[in-house]
Amino acid sequence: MLLWAVIPCKTASFSVTYGRNTSWIFFCEEDTRIQVAKLLETLRRFDKSKEWFLGKALYDEESTIIHHYAFAENPTVFKFPDFAAGWALSIPLVNKLAKKLKSEPLKSDFTIDLKHEIALYIWQKGEGPHLTPVPEFCTDDVNSYKTDDCATTFSNFLPLCGEPVNKEDVFVAVKTCRKFHGDRIPVVKQTWEREAALIEYYSDYADISIPTIDLGIPNTERGHCGKTFAILERFLNHTSPRIPWLVVVDDDTLISIFRLRKLLSCYDPNEPVFLGERYGYGLGTGGYSYITGGGGMVFSRTAVQKLLASKCRCYSMDAPDDMVLGMCFSGLGIPITHSPLFHQARPMDYPKDYLSHQIPVSFHKHWNIDPVKVYFTWLAPNTEESHNEKKVGYNREDL
């Protein structure tokens, strides 16, 4: 996987180490497959003495929150690379970026979508190169008929490292509050609740019709640190110690517990695992990574034990829980585990080409969408995944 802070951490060292004897730096993900001869043939089409930024182009069809509504008037004009297809920088551009970083460190506090932010940094408001689309950088599966001319392909599958973990090994905690009991909780019950064997709803009000559990933590309008830490305490002290996994989601998270169980087969719950979609805060100046809460936060019991055994806690009840957790785990030396299959936003907030080679685990937010339709289109187990579930057909193009 590409290093999270690749620009500040590696560009300068690439320039020093490889600047004299290398023409290109090529980045890819762990599941990217490369035809080396074809890649070299493709790169030879470009003048290596010039500044080149090459990749498979993605773009936003409409401005989106995850890109801070950049290019709001016409977001399609700005292209950024699909990391799964691989992307390349010519050495003259690497050297230029290394020099720029010495005099002008990264300014953004938050790292949300690295591929978009890298493209913005390279573009430099028009002073640097745009991304040049390269058709040979592909994300089609290696066995696809479309890959004859591809230098790269991508393994499009859900990771499975053995048998999926048992339903009874995953405890799901849903954060909610009284004002959302009537509209958000029914969506959970219509969609993914049936996939969870162990699920509890935590609120500021005990409602026996759901049922919800009042944790005694008042609802806050900003962060929910107090509520989340109360959930962690409850999981550790009031559930069976034989349950190895905890998933904490919002009441407007749409998630596939079925797929998550497959993904968790690749992780050891005896290790301190903290899994989800990774964001960053102050990474250019010694900050930390964190799992963004909306897409779902997955904890091994071991991780919860180590966290609560430490003295790291909320600095206020309404602090952002996901950021505080990231800060705590960073202080404990426990790494954040990123999976691009978790999503903090809605399907429409991501480029269609980006989602086309994913089997997503989660999305977030009900705003301006039909969440039930989104679930059955993107997340519900299909007939290939489960013989016991019926897939409701919708067209992804509509979402």
Side-chain angles (χ1 to χ4, degrees):
M1 183 69 184
L2 183 72
L3 288 174
W4 185 245
V6 64
I7 286 184
C9 293
K10 289 297 179 184
T11 302
S13 64
F14 284 151
S15 177
V16 172
T17 306
Y18 303 110
R20 292 184 177 180
N21 301 314
T22 305
S23 301
W24 299 89
I25 303 292
F26 184 79
F27 304 88
C28 63
E29 294 193 349
E30 59 187 352
D31 290 321
T32 307
R33 300 293 179 259
I34 303 171
Q35 297 287 339
V36 175
K38 186 68 175 178
L39 175 61
L40 294 175
E41 177 187 335
T42 299
L43 293 176
R44 280 194 287 268
R45 294 208 311 267
F46 301 91
D47 184 347
K48 64 184 180 182
S49 67
K50 295 183 179 180
E51 295 176 4
W52 290 103
F53 175 28
L54 308 178
K56 177 186 175 182
L58 299 174
Y59 60 89
D60 293 325
E61 294 191 2
E62 57 184 69
S63 60
T64 174
I65 188 171
I66 61 173
H67 296 153
H68 306 291
Y69 298 105
F71 306 95
E73 291 185 2
N74 184 10
T76 64
V77 301
F78 186 74
K79 308 297 191 294
F80 52 99
D82 189 334
F83 285 170
W87 54 288
L89 302 177
S90 62
I91 286 298
L93 180 55
V94 172
N95 293 337
K96 178 182 176 180
L97 293 173
K99 187 179 297 184
K100 176 179 168 63
L101 280 165
K102 288 182 180 179
S103 60
E104 187 182 334
L106 296 176
K107 296 177 180 178
S108 176
D109 287 337
F110 288 93
T111 300
I112 294 177
D113 184 0
L114 188 60
K115 55 189 177 293
H116 191 270
E117 288 151 23
I118 282 178
L120 280 174
Y121 190 81
I122 292 172
W123 177 59
Q124 298 179 41
K125 296 182 178 179
E127 295 181 7
H130 281 282
L131 177 73
T132 297
V134 178
E136 290 85 357
F137 292 179
C138 309
T139 53
D140 298 293
D141 187 81
V142 65
N143 296 316
S144 170
Y145 70 92
K146 301 178 183 179
T147 61
D148 290 347
D149 296 321
C150 291
T152 64
T153 54
F154 189 72
S155 296
N156 181 0
F157 60 88
L158 186 69
L160 181 63
C161 306
E163 289 297 315
V165 303
N166 295 326
K167 265 189 174 184
E168 296 75 16
D169 287 340
V170 181
F171 186 94
V172 183
V174 182
K175 294 185 298 179
T176 188
C177 63
R178 186 174 187 176
K179 68 178 179 179
F180 294 131
H181 289 185
D183 58 350
R184 293 185 180 179
I185 299 305
V187 171
V188 177
K189 290 183 175 292
Q190 289 178 60
T191 55
W192 60 266
E193 184 193 65
R194 71 194 74 177
E195 298 179 36
L198 304 171
I199 184 169
E200 288 186 344
Y201 297 86
Y202 298 108
S203 182
D204 54 352
Y205 175 74
D207 184 340
I208 61 172
S209 68
I210 294 175
T212 59
I213 295 170
D214 183 359
L215 291 170
I217 307 292
N219 188 53
T220 53
E221 293 299 324
R222 299 194 303 160
H224 304 286
C225 196
K227 180 182 289 184
T228 298
F229 270 79
I231 291 170
L232 297 175
E233 295 274 5
R234 182 178 174 88
F235 172 73
L236 197 59
N237 298 319
H238 297 282
T239 65
S240 168
R242 293 190 295 271
I243 302 172
W245 296 104
L246 169 67
V247 185
V248 179
V249 297
D250 292 347
D251 51 11
D252 58 349
T253 301
L254 299 167
I255 190 167
S256 171
I257 301 299
F258 183 89
R259 293 176 186 169
L260 177 62
R261 289 168 46 218
K262 289 187 175 183
L263 181 61
L264 289 179
S265 70
C266 298
Y267 299 94
D268 182 355
N270 296 312
E271 296 293 327
V273 178
F274 186 32
L275 170 69
E277 182 182 20
R278 178 172 49 184
Y279 280 12
Y281 178 74
L283 293 178
T285 54
Y288 55 88
S289 297
Y290 63 96
I291 297 300
T292 181
M297 299 183 289
V298 183
F299 306 79
S300 65
R301 181 173 288 270
T302 304
V304 177
Q305 290 170 335
K306 288 182 177 293
L307 172 67
L308 296 183
S310 75
K311 296 181 179 179
C312 193
R313 293 295 187 273
C314 308
Y315 55 83
S316 68
M317 296 298 281
D318 66 347
D321 53 352
D322 48 7
M323 295 185 69
V324 170
L325 288 166
M327 184 171 56
C328 289
F329 281 118
S330 176
L332 291 169
I334 295 173
I336 301 300
T337 303
H338 171 69
S339 170
L341 306 181
F342 295 78
H343 301 87
Q344 170 68 13
R346 309 162 299 169
M348 63 193 296
D349 292 311
Y350 301 90
K352 290 177 181 177
D353 273 356
Y354 174 68
L355 293 180
S356 69
H357 56 75
Q358 282 197 354
I359 301 175
V361 166
S362 72
F363 291 104
H364 181 226
K365 295 290 187 189
H366 294 175
W367 183 64
N368 275 2
I369 62 169
D370 178 345
V372 175
K373 183 177 179 181
V374 167
Y375 169 79
F376 281 107
T377 302
W378 291 94
L379 299 167
N382 58 34
T383 53
E384 292 181 2
E385 293 177 304
S386 172
H387 295 297
N388 299 319
E389 297 282 351
K390 184 177 180 181
K391 176 87 169 177
V392 176
Y394 292 109
N395 185 356
R396 287 186 173 187
E397 297 298 313
D398 297 333
L399 303 172

